[in-house]
Amino acid sequence: MFHRPAARRRLATAAVALGLLCTLSTSAWAGARDASPPRHRTQTTAVASRAGSATGLSGYAIQSTAKVTDSAAAVSSPGYPASGWYPAGSRSTVLAALLADGKYADPFYSTNQQQIPKADFQVPWWYRSDFTVADTSERTYLDFSGVISAADVYVNGQQVAKAADVAGAYTHHELDVTSLVRAGTNTVAFRIQPNDPRRNLTMGWIDWLQPPPDENMGIVRDVLVRRGGPVALRDAHVVTGLDVPSLSTADLTVKARARNDSDSPVTTTVSGSIGAISFSKSVSLAAHATKTVTFAPAEVPGLHLTSPKVWWPAGMGGQPLYALDLTASVAGTVSDAAHDNFGIRDVKAPLNSDGARQYSVNGRKLLIRGGGWSPDEFLRWDRTYVEDRLKYALDLGLNTIRLEGHIEPDEFFDLADRYGILTLPGWECCDKWEGNGNGGEPGDKWTAEDYPVAGASMAAEAARLRDHPSVISFLIGSDFAPDATIEKTYLDALKAADWPTPVVAAASDKSSPVSGRSGMKMSGPYDWIPPNYWYAKREGGATGFNSETSAGPDIPTLDTLRRMMSPAELDTLWKNPSAKQYHRSPSSTFSTLKLYDDALTGRYGAPSSLTDYVRKAQLAQYENTRAQFEAYGRNATDSSKPSTGVVYWMFNSGWTSLHWQLMDRYLDQGGAYFGAKKANEPLHVQYSYDNRSVVVVNNRHASASGLTARATLFSTDGTQKYDKTVTGVTVGGDGARGTALTLPSTVSGLSTTYLARLVLSDSTGKEVSRNVYWLSTKPDTLDWDNTDWYYTPTTSYADLKGLSAMAQAPVSATASTTSSGDTSTTTVTVRNTDGGRTPSLLTDVHLVDGAGKPVLPVRWSDNEVSLWPGESVTLTATYRTTDLHGSRPRVRVSGWNTPERTVPAA
């Protein structure tokens, strides 16, 4: 995902993959619960006897093979003591389990992670778990994926699979262990091999963050014990065909594989239902034979739907889902069952006349506004934490999440389906996945053994993701497109799985032999550039589909910085731009904050303290992130070289980071977050850095008319220097734009640094959008000719130093809180009480508990607002009542030129 020279791209999409994530230790990372078992006790799971049941192993005892001298037969036999072993959750990397057990200090603080010895994870580790079976009359299978990097598998003392066959994080495995399972206690053991993403088709972190010392070795998806009769049902799914553009009818085709696992021929009855629609047929199967069973509208008229419930992305319509239930019966007894949820929608993504990929859903074009997803660094799964981040995506006005590798578990896509968030999963760059063609990046060339692993990985992920309506493509390449042989491997697997959406060659501007041009670009930037950069229709500017881009660093709030860095590190942070920052990246390209800090000083003035540094950082991050999304939003309906998609790099970080994030590890929000939220509001007035136009962008479906746009320019002392109002503004829907006015190139008496206030009102006079900019009569100047893969140099900076001379503007605040069920809402009214002309710039309101700590997560109606004397605004904050931890809520108000104060909000 990131790119270029062996200099290194961003740290590979770490981890979410697969359902990976270790259920185990939420407590070690988010302060949540720890369901881990007592130390030294082997996990025991009671397995259901019902045909068609699937029971996940509840956890493991784990230990390094360097400390286990017993044979594999002994380790994998019931009754083995596992004395001194560590408990691990049902989805857990080795290091995640050790962290949950308290073996190491918080790896998110300072350089603690460097103290964890890598050598401990360069040998295999044992994972063992016991399960009980009451009835052995049914067949028993082990069903799993998410092994990193490979594993020998044993059941009750017998080897049932070799590491050469259980390799790759995404491959799916089903082992028939019926002959080995006994009534009572049974044992399954995995001997997990060390991971090296440069050598294995697993996952790595590229330049995103400091990689975990264990390289995520472990089992990061559920291991299921399946029970069934002689006939197994597998691969149940629904192929949908929606009539576009009418959306008036849809055809459903139900498919599943019926497999006879017995030594004799059988006749099975496969029956199913989708709501009130029922269907059934008999299928004859020879011993150990498999047949695909299909139900189509031609034979089941009910599968031709009229007035289907159509699934839409958030903001475009609802998110209804259908449910498929299937059973296979033999002689009237259920042998197996299957269930599948699916949505009905149509996705197209042709290349436009400029060669850019243009997505449409159900016949309606949309600008992809997305963010790059990162899982927890240790692949720990916490549904609540993931759901909180997805709700943040909606709050930000984003419609898409891109997953470069680290493809999340099923629950992630269930949530995306429910919330209407589009997803772009795909393979990652800069390691073994692109080893055959990734230039100077690390990653071994493929051997004959890798092709089956890649094909099996693609087949497994295609089968898992195909019926999720939130999934709108698969990117078979990231920074590089696959060669012909590898592409055929992927495409054959996708075709066999009935993959329903566009397959994209790469996230970069690459082509593959069959899929052709990607229609995407990956031309940066990844480090600091000024806001006006985004308006140029070149490099990473607002044209085409930019699959990953941002102005790089994102300095968290002071609250978070103090949670993640030592006092000495904080001192270095603001004093020494050339210092290597452990919490930025292991890449030499991104190891310091020099580009960012030089720009911060050049534009705003040298920081005088840590607080001043953070204050300037929030201002800079707000303006830059806002400009990125505003430029792409403005250009989406251009007749020439329109913008079709932009993915902010990144949406979040898997650890405590200083770059590539719209919110920090603890879900606190600063300038980048609220700048993006402002830019992506449904009906929005904005300033254009390239031509000074004031534009209204309407992201709603319905057109807007009778609008009034007002633009006012002020010197930093609050003196008004220009004011113009335009009435009768009309803007179409679905991302259309209208130009209300253009600001003059010069205004008499305007200070070098000045403020622009834009206000949009509806036909009743109600304010529907407000946007405040800090600008300079001296613009930032870009050196386009010396553009590098990760940034374009700035030869002279805009002069925004006049902001430091702004007088203090007092802001009053009153707040109250109401609660309903598990949710509380705090309402805050802030008012600029200055008796003169000075506005309060970027006034931030933070919800805090009794100890002054931020209450997180929280969703604000708006924040970081700018008010002129006498103006007020009422904001609301919604959050979980339990996140107050029993204290009374308070609100902390501060801003660029506003003294900090905290008031009660009970």
Side-chain angles (χ1 to χ4, degrees):
M1 308 216 85
F2 179 31
H3 181 137
R4 260 5 23 142
R8 274 214 113 175
R9 336 166 351 138
R10 95 223 124 211
L11 248 208
T13 229
V16 159
L18 315 181
L20 310 110
L21 294 39
C22 123
T23 282
L24 200 187
S25 109
T26 303
S27 61
W29 56 302
R33 52 240 160 249
D34 179 4
S36 59
R39 181 85 180 272
H40 311 321
R41 264 179 55 183
T42 299
Q43 294 286 299
T44 301
T45 304
V47 171
S49 298
R50 185 183 70 260
S53 65
T55 306
L57 296 179
S58 58
Y60 306 89
I62 71 170
Q63 184 57 275
S64 168
T65 57
K67 297 183 179 180
V68 177
T69 57
D70 299 308
S71 67
V75 169
S76 61
S77 294
Y80 181 78
S83 176
W85 289 36
Y86 300 94
S90 58
R91 306 172 185 174
S92 180
T93 65
V94 172
L95 186 51
L98 301 182
L99 289 170
D101 200 52
K103 184 172 177 62
Y104 303 113
D106 178 8
F108 289 147
Y109 179 75
S110 187
T111 57
N112 284 350
Q113 187 169 258
Q114 287 185 319
Q115 310 310 312
I116 301 174
K118 293 182 180 180
D120 289 355
F121 312 106
Q122 293 172 357
V123 299
W125 277 67
W126 279 110
Y127 276 57
R128 74 179 309 278
S129 187
D130 289 341
F131 63 93
T132 59
V133 171
D135 178 6
T136 59
S137 63
E138 300 288 351
R139 303 192 70 81
T140 304
Y141 311 84
L142 286 180
D143 185 311
F144 60 92
S145 63
V147 173
I148 303 176
S149 67
D152 298 295
V153 187
Y154 299 82
V155 172
N156 292 342
Q158 300 293 314
Q159 186 167 14
V160 295
K162 295 181 179 179
D165 300 314
V166 181
Y170 299 96
T171 55
H172 173 248
H173 308 276
E174 184 180 23
L175 307 176
D176 189 337
V177 295
T178 303
S179 63
L180 297 176
V181 170
R182 65 193 71 165
T185 301
N186 299 269
T187 299
V188 57
F190 296 82
R191 184 163 54 200
I192 306 292
Q193 299 300 310
N195 183 39
D196 182 346
R198 293 158 292 279
R199 297 180 178 181
N200 307 121
L201 291 171
T202 54
M203 60 191 71
W205 290 95
I206 316 170
D207 46 9
W208 298 7
L209 47 70
Q210 301 291 348
D214 71 339
E215 295 283 7
N216 295 132
M217 70 182 296
I219 302 175
V220 294
R221 286 184 178 173
D222 291 336
V223 174
L224 303 175
V225 182
R226 292 190 179 275
R227 308 301 305 282
V231 174
L233 270 182
R234 298 293 184 264
D235 202 37
H237 64 286
V238 180
V239 179
T240 65
L242 177 64
D243 185 65
V244 176
S246 75
L247 312 185
S248 60
T249 63
D251 287 331
L252 310 180
T253 301
V254 177
K255 292 186 176 183
R257 287 185 292 110
R259 187 183 69 212
N260 179 8
D261 286 336
S262 73
D263 296 328
S264 304
V266 298
T267 297
T268 183
T269 300
V270 178
S271 303
S273 64
I274 297 174
I277 308 165
S278 298
F279 36 87
S280 181
K281 68 172 56 175
S282 294
V283 180
S284 296
L285 294 167
H288 301 292
T290 299
K291 287 184 179 180
T292 296
V293 183
T294 302
F295 300 94
E299 57 183 318
V300 183
L303 293 176
H304 176 76
L305 305 183
T306 57
S307 301
K309 295 180 289 185
V310 177
W311 186 96
W312 290 93
M316 297 177 70
Q319 292 78 44
L321 296 173
Y322 288 81
L324 165 70
D325 288 290
L326 287 176
T327 59
S329 300
V330 176
T333 299
V334 173
S335 178
D336 203 359
H339 176 84
D340 179 49
N341 290 327
F342 65 96
I344 298 174
R345 56 89 176 94
D346 176 85
V347 178
K348 297 287 190 298
L351 303 184
N352 66 15
S353 59
D354 299 304
R357 197 163 292 274
Q358 172 66 71
Y359 280 85
S360 67
V361 176
N362 303 331
R364 282 166 55 184
K365 291 181 181 179
L366 75 164
L367 172 69
I368 295 295
R369 299 187 306 274
W373 182 267
S374 173
D376 169 66
E377 179 179 7
F378 308 108
L379 303 188
R380 296 171 293 192
W381 173 256
D382 184 319
R383 178 188 173 91
T384 299
Y385 184 63
V386 169
E387 189 168 10
D388 286 338
R389 283 180 285 167
L390 292 177
K391 288 179 179 178
Y392 268 14
L394 292 179
D395 184 53
L396 286 167
L398 304 183
N399 56 25
T400 304
I401 291 294
R402 181 184 166 210
L403 300 98
E404 182 192 348
H406 306 89
I407 306 174
E408 288 278 24
D410 294 341
E411 298 97 315
F412 176 91
F413 296 95
D414 290 340
L415 290 168
D417 292 344
R418 192 209 316 171
Y419 288 120
I421 299 172
L422 304 175
T423 61
L424 290 170
W427 304 129
E428 67 193 48
C429 89
C430 311
D431 55 23
K432 183 60 177 258
W433 286 101
E434 295 186 348
N436 276 25
N438 64 0
E441 302 293 346
D444 287 2
K445 299 292 184 183
W446 286 26
T447 65
E449 290 76 20
D450 294 313
Y451 291 89
V453 174
S457 299
M458 188 72 265
E461 288 306 285
R464 193 171 70 91
L465 300 177
R466 64 191 163 198
D467 276 359
H468 286 284
S470 59
V471 179
I472 59 169
S473 270
F474 198 94
L475 279 64
I476 57 175
S478 179
D479 292 30
F480 300 89
D483 62 30
T485 304
I486 296 174
E487 182 182 24
K488 186 177 187 304
T489 298
Y490 291 149
L491 294 181
D492 287 350
L494 287 161
K495 181 178 180 180
D498 294 322
W499 185 255
T501 60
V503 177
V504 180
S508 61
D509 185 13
K510 301 292 183 182
S511 300
S512 58
V514 179
S515 302
R517 292 185 59 183
S518 69
M520 295 188 174
K521 66 179 183 179
M522 191 185 286
S523 48
Y526 297 96
D527 211 326
W528 191 87
I529 44 80
N532 62 348
Y533 171 98
W534 301 108
Y535 288 84
K537 289 195 173 186
R538 56 180 299 175
E539 273 72 44
T543 181
F545 194 122
N546 198 338
S547 68
E548 50 182 62
T549 188
S550 75
D554 183 83
I555 306 301
T557 63
L558 196 54
D559 296 290
T560 291
L561 285 171
R562 287 171 172 157
R563 292 181 71 173
M564 62 184 267
M565 300 174 76
S566 70
E569 290 167 334
L570 291 174
D571 205 42
T572 298
L573 177 66
W574 73 272
K575 289 181 177 179
N576 189 354
S578 298
K580 289 186 177 180
Q581 295 292 341
Y582 183 70
H583 285 266
R584 189 166 183 208
S585 172
S587 162
S588 59
T589 304
F590 304 113
S591 61
T592 77
L593 290 165
K594 183 169 175 53
L595 285 175
Y596 177 87
D597 287 350
D598 285 352
L600 208 64
T601 295
R603 301 174 89 238
Y604 290 100
S608 59
S609 65
L610 175 63
T611 299
D612 186 51
Y613 177 78
V614 175
R615 182 179 71 129
K616 287 172 176 170
Q618 302 314 313
L619 207 64
Q621 288 154 197
Y622 186 106
E623 63 163 344
N624 217 316
T625 306
R626 175 179 59 182
Q628 176 178 336
F629 282 107
E630 285 183 338
Y632 274 85
R634 188 199 69 174
N635 290 359
T637 53
D638 284 0
S639 59
S640 175
K641 300 182 70 175
S643 56
T644 62
V646 59
V647 177
Y648 189 91
W649 203 252
M650 295 178 65
F651 177 70
N652 69 297
S653 178
W655 83 323
T656 43
S657 179
L658 295 171
H659 76 164
W660 294 343
Q661 56 190 354
L662 287 172
M663 79 287 301
D664 66 40
R665 180 64 186 76
Y666 303 108
L667 303 185
D668 205 353
Q669 307 141 315
Y673 186 98
F674 291 113
K677 180 178 171 69
K678 175 59 64 177
N680 293 320
E681 61 187 356
L683 185 60
H684 179 63
V685 62
Q686 63 186 61
Y687 168 78
S688 303
Y689 281 84
D690 58 343
N691 60 17
R692 304 181 311 283
S693 61
V694 174
V695 173
V696 178
V697 177
N698 184 10
N699 292 312
R700 305 179 305 186
H701 182 49
S703 61
S705 60
L707 303 174
T708 297
R710 182 183 180 187
T712 313
L713 304 183
F714 301 86
S715 290
T716 51
D717 64 0
T719 303
Q720 181 176 307
K721 295 296 182 179
Y722 173 87
D723 187 49
K724 185 172 183 179
T725 299
V726 177
T727 61
V729 178
T730 298
V731 188
D734 293 331
R737 71 148 192 264
T739 299
L741 63 113
T742 298
L743 297 177
S745 57
T746 59
V747 174
S748 177
L750 196 63
S751 53
T752 301
T753 304
Y754 64 98
L755 303 176
R757 183 184 66 194
L758 309 181
V759 176
L760 185 70
S761 304
D762 65 16
S763 58
T764 68
K766 178 184 176 182
E767 183 178 300
V768 292
S769 177
R770 166 184 285 237
N771 213 346
V772 175
Y773 295 79
W774 37 104
L775 303 168
S776 175
T777 57
K778 177 189 175 186
D780 295 289
T781 305
L782 288 151
D783 181 7
W784 292 104
D785 291 340
N786 285 302
T787 296
D788 205 335
W789 65 271
Y790 64 99
Y791 87 117
T792 296
T794 304
T795 55
S796 64
Y797 297 113
D799 184 355
L800 300 173
K801 298 181 181 67
L803 296 178
S804 296
M806 290 180 67
Q808 292 285 289
V811 172
S812 66
T814 58
S816 62
T817 299
T818 59
S819 298
S820 176
D822 298 330
T823 301
S824 290
T825 300
T826 294
T827 301
V828 186
T829 298
V830 291
R831 180 183 299 275
N832 182 337
T833 58
D834 184 68
R837 300 180 302 230
T838 305
S840 58
L841 183 63
L842 216 68
T843 301
D844 177 85
V845 185
H846 251 68
L847 184 74
V848 297
D849 62 17
K853 296 180 179 179
V855 177
L856 301 168
V858 60
R859 288 185 301 282
W860 286 95
S861 58
D862 195 5
N863 210 327
E864 301 201 341
V865 295
S866 298
L867 300 171
W868 269 251
E871 290 185 333
S872 66
V873 63
T874 298
L875 313 172
T876 59
T878 306
Y879 52 97
R880 285 187 292 267
T881 306
T882 53
D883 288 333
L884 285 168
H885 303 296
S887 68
R888 292 179 177 273
R890 300 189 297 165
V891 291
R892 185 180 67 207
V893 181
S894 61
W896 174 258
N897 59 327
T898 300
E900 182 179 309
R901 61 181 308 205
T902 302
V903 300

